Amino acid sequence: MPNVGNLVCPAEFDTGAVRNAMILSVPEGDDKPLKYPLMFSVCDLVLINKIDVMPYFDFDLERCKSNIHQRNPKAKIIPICAKTGEGVDAFVQWLLAEVNAWKNN
C-alpha cells in the first residue's frame, strides 16, 4: 500500500493490490492501531520499523501487537530494523511466499 503521509486515505480506496502492507515507525507510537483502525484492519502485514530506538520512546511492542490484532487478528507483524537488519529476512520470506502464492494461483 502506498504511503501518502497519513494512515487514513490509503485504506479508504481499493488500490488493486493483492496484499497490503504498511510500516509503523516506533517514534509514531504504539497507539496508532487504536487511532487509525481502518488502516490496520486492511493490512496483511505490518512492519514495525526502527525497533532499535524503542528504549528511547514510550513504545511497548507487545501492546502494539495486541492493538494491531484487536483490529486485525490475521495481520502478520514483523518487527524490523533497517540499521541492524533485524527482521529483514522475515520480511523477505513473507514477500517471497506471497509472490509465489500469487504466481501459483
Side-chain angles (χ1 to χ4, degrees):
M1 206 163 232
N3 181 352
V4 295
N6 67 52
L7 295 174
V8 178
C9 293
E12 293 178 347
F13 304 102
D14 181 0
T15 62
V18 174
R19 293 287 178 259
N20 293 308
M22 69 162 298
I23 302 171
L24 171 63
S25 182
V26 165
E28 293 178 289
D30 56 26
D31 64 332
K32 291 306 173 269
L34 303 178
K35 289 180 75 175
Y36 303 102
L38 179 60
M39 186 65 188
F40 289 88
S41 69
V42 300
C43 286
D44 300 291
L45 172 70
V46 178
L47 295 174
I48 300 176
N49 191 30
K50 300 184 181 182
I51 58 171
D52 58 315
V53 299
M54 278 193 296
Y56 308 104
F57 291 88
D58 184 21
F59 189 95
D60 183 321
L61 182 59
E62 294 309 312
R63 181 172 52 219
C64 186
K65 288 178 181 181
S66 176
N67 290 342
I68 292 168
H69 283 142
Q70 282 180 28
R71 302 298 180 230
N72 184 350
K74 295 181 182 180
K76 172 81 172 166
I77 301 169
I78 301 176
I80 194 167
C81 177
K83 183 177 180 180
T84 67
E86 185 177 348
V88 172
D89 287 340
F91 174 48
V92 169
Q93 292 304 313
W94 179 86
L95 192 57
L96 289 173
E98 293 300 323
V99 168
N100 286 331
W102 176 74
K103 286 170 56 176
N104 292 325
N105 281 332

